[in-house]
Amino acid sequence: MRLLIFASLLLATACVPLGTPITSTNPAAPGQQKPPEYYADKTLRYQDYTYAPDVRSVQCYVASGQPNEVFRPPVVPLGQSPGILLEFDVLGEQSQRYTAKLIHCDVDWKPSVLTDMQFLNEINEFLITDFRVGTGTKVPYFHYRLRAPQVKISGNYLLVVQSSGSVPVVSRRLLVYENRVQASLQPGIVIGGQERFTLQQLDFAIGYASVDLVNPAVEVKVVLRQNFRWDNAKYNLRPTFVRDAERRLEYQFFGFENAFPGLSEYRFFDTRSVQAAGIGVLRVDPRATPVTAVLQPEVTRSLQAYNQYQDANGQRVFESREFGNGDVNADYADVTFQLKATQAAPGPVYVFGALTDWQLKDEFRLAYDEAQQLYTGHALLKQGYYNYDFAVAGARGAVPNEVYFEGTHNETENQYDLLVYYRPPGTRTDLLIGYQTVGFNSRQ
């Protein structure tokens, strides 16, 4: 079956902890069909995850109607309209019936004890009726859209799409916040030697003069993210200064607890046209089924000086230059990645970014040819503009090593956001009472 030839998303056999890379120790060769049991386990994971091999091109963002709205993370103030939009494709020539539901979660992304009616004003089952067929594409698919329902309280939510029999198909994390505290987030200065050239530090403080918090030094919990990623987010950060008189918590660390590798601007390629090779593309063959696109060979940037250019912080957007409307007119292409390396890396190498849900997936694992000194791999991707980088897998549960091939620089442009949680006495869940974003080396 053509669909399974290109299927590649791995389901682990147990619930995977937050930030755990999704890998396989025995991936199938390119073009090799995976055994049926590969997708047998449909255990729901409380993270961004895709559970079926024919589900592709998942996007979850704030539908604002503004240019590049797909780059806006699924984070909205309580009561905001318009809200969060989920879109995805399902490969095949037959439409499917899907429903969705919301799960309210605690700060650690475990389901809270709230009942549905405590955070929703409607029945917690939403039939997805907005879907359209791909038009004139070699790879047949249906495009589905769902607008997340309005909720009554702030916090973490997991939006789950299910097929018949309540089998999960897609899950995405959503954030709904209130600005009940004053969260200030700003770029800081790294106190160190070489680290001041490679790391980016974020200093932040929380003012709670307008709200009564009980034992805020312990009960207030914060999460710090880079480019809206969950895989390398900072947790369990405790205030370094508690100023009771000013009703203020300050977080100023000296051991890099609040610092991230700046990395480099993301690599990119453009497959929005199938008639000509876009930027980053070596050659394209529109006659093949599916269309094939071979990317320019890349090289390591670990020892290179910082190179400034505009990127999308690891994101991607779908579009067709020939026909417009990437939702249903963009075709799928078999994209080949190439990375030159004089020797093999100390671990498996993967293409990494929003195109992989910030996870290490077998479809994006590269094979090393020692004779050619070249890593290669390919994946089925919808036409569009993509950001990505190369990551090396470490020990199970460790954050992927992007520095090995990408290098890291303090000058890199990145986006950071701060999440502030609190569980009021007598309540049964964590509320998201503060949210703030800041650009590091912003070009605007």
Side-chain angles (χ1 to χ4, degrees):
M1 180 182 297
R2 179 171 58 185
L3 302 182
L4 291 180
I5 291 177
F6 297 103
S8 63
L9 292 174
L10 173 62
L11 290 179
T13 58
C15 185
V16 181
L18 184 67
T20 301
I22 311 300
T23 63
S24 169
T25 57
N26 188 26
Q32 177 180 335
Q33 182 172 328
K34 294 189 182 294
E37 63 269 22
Y38 184 79
Y39 299 102
D41 184 7
K42 303 297 183 181
T43 304
L44 179 63
R45 292 150 171 83
Y46 292 87
Q47 61 182 108
D48 295 343
Y49 205 84
T50 305
Y51 301 82
D54 52 350
V55 175
R56 300 276 170 160
S57 307
V58 183
Q59 288 184 306
C60 191
Y61 58 93
V62 177
S64 63
Q66 300 298 318
N68 298 324
E69 65 179 1
V70 295
F71 298 150
R72 296 185 61 181
V75 184
V76 293
L78 184 64
Q80 172 176 301
S81 182
I84 296 171
L85 188 66
L86 173 67
E87 299 188 76
F88 60 95
D89 293 342
V90 179
L91 304 186
E93 298 179 350
Q94 182 65 46
S95 63
Q96 306 291 328
R97 182 184 186 274
Y98 295 110
T99 60
K101 68 176 182 179
L102 275 180
I103 301 175
H104 189 272
C105 298
D106 294 335
V107 63
D108 55 0
W109 288 100
K110 295 180 181 178
S112 72
V113 297
L114 298 184
T115 64
D116 293 345
M117 297 310 295
Q118 288 179 294
F119 61 83
L120 279 175
N121 285 318
E122 49 195 318
I123 301 299
N124 195 4
E125 183 177 47
F126 309 94
L127 178 64
I128 302 179
T129 58
D130 185 355
F131 61 90
R132 293 173 291 167
V133 63
T135 305
T137 60
K138 292 187 175 183
V139 176
Y141 66 87
F142 281 80
H143 181 75
Y144 292 80
R145 292 160 52 100
L146 172 69
R147 193 172 297 275
Q150 293 280 345
V151 297
K152 296 191 290 187
I153 63 173
S154 64
N156 294 345
Y157 289 89
L158 189 75
L159 180 60
V160 182
V161 176
Q162 300 174 320
S163 60
S164 58
S166 299
V167 178
V169 173
V170 173
S171 59
R172 281 297 181 271
R173 291 168 167 163
L174 319 179
L175 298 176
V176 179
Y177 68 91
E178 306 170 80
N179 278 322
R180 298 171 58 185
V181 296
Q182 292 72 49
S184 62
L185 177 66
Q186 60 184 6
I189 299 176
V190 176
I191 306 300
Q194 186 65 24
E195 290 83 3
R196 69 182 186 275
F197 302 110
T198 61
L199 299 181
Q200 294 181 340
Q201 179 169 303
L202 285 304
D203 294 332
F204 56 96
I206 300 169
Y208 54 97
S210 59
V211 60
D212 290 328
L213 302 182
V214 178
N215 195 12
V218 175
E219 298 301 330
V220 169
K221 300 177 182 179
V222 298
V223 178
L224 189 60
R225 299 191 301 174
Q226 180 188 57
N227 295 327
F228 312 113
R229 295 166 52 176
W230 290 103
D231 65 296
N232 65 345
K234 304 286 188 181
Y235 301 88
N236 302 318
L237 298 175
R238 296 299 181 187
T240 51
F241 300 98
V242 179
R243 305 190 184 280
D244 289 329
E246 303 173 22
R247 301 179 66 82
R248 179 179 173 87
L249 305 175
E250 295 184 356
Y251 299 76
Q252 299 178 11
F253 301 98
F254 302 96
F256 312 127
E257 294 94 334
N258 55 340
F260 294 78
L263 301 176
S264 299
E265 308 297 350
Y266 283 88
R267 304 173 193 262
F268 55 90
F269 65 89
D270 188 345
T271 57
R272 287 176 288 184
S273 173
V274 296
Q275 301 301 322
I279 190 168
V281 179
L282 180 63
R283 60 181 178 273
V284 60
D285 184 0
R287 298 167 298 177
T289 303
V291 174
T292 60
V294 179
L295 303 187
Q296 296 279 359
E298 297 285 339
V299 299
T300 180
R301 301 188 289 179
S302 62
L303 299 179
Q304 294 182 3
Y306 171 70
N307 183 17
Q308 177 180 325
Y309 55 85
Q310 194 73 28
D311 70 354
N313 289 334
Q315 299 298 316
R316 79 273 201 246
V317 61
F318 307 121
E319 189 57 83
S320 169
R321 290 289 196 192
E322 286 77 22
F323 305 106
N325 191 6
D327 290 351
V328 294
N329 290 335
D331 207 343
Y332 277 80
D334 188 13
V335 178
T336 298
F337 296 87
Q338 302 185 85
L339 172 62
K340 296 179 180 179
T342 55
Q343 61 183 9
V349 177
Y350 295 80
V351 176
F352 194 67
L355 76 168
T356 72
D357 290 339
W358 300 106
Q359 298 167 2
L360 304 182
K361 296 184 177 180
D362 283 337
E363 178 180 9
F364 296 92
R365 182 169 176 172
L366 305 181
Y368 185 63
D369 187 318
E370 188 173 3
Q372 298 187 54
Q373 296 186 339
L374 185 69
Y375 277 101
T376 58
H378 62 100
L380 188 69
L381 297 172
K382 197 173 187 178
Q383 280 182 266
Y385 168 81
Y386 287 80
N387 276 192
Y388 72 99
D389 65 15
F390 297 105
V392 180
R396 183 171 181 81
V399 175
N401 182 359
E402 299 168 83
V403 176
Y404 185 86
F405 283 113
E406 306 302 335
T408 178
H409 309 276
N410 177 266
E411 300 95 328
T412 305
E413 185 274 328
N414 286 301
Q415 190 78 11
Y416 292 90
D417 63 349
L418 175 68
L419 319 177
V420 183
Y421 296 90
Y422 177 69
R423 178 175 296 197
T427 61
R428 301 188 296 168
T429 190
D430 299 304
L431 304 179
L432 183 51
I433 62 171
Y435 181 74
Q436 186 61 259
T437 65
V438 67
F440 206 107
N441 298 321
S442 178
R443 315 299 184 208
Q444 299 180 351

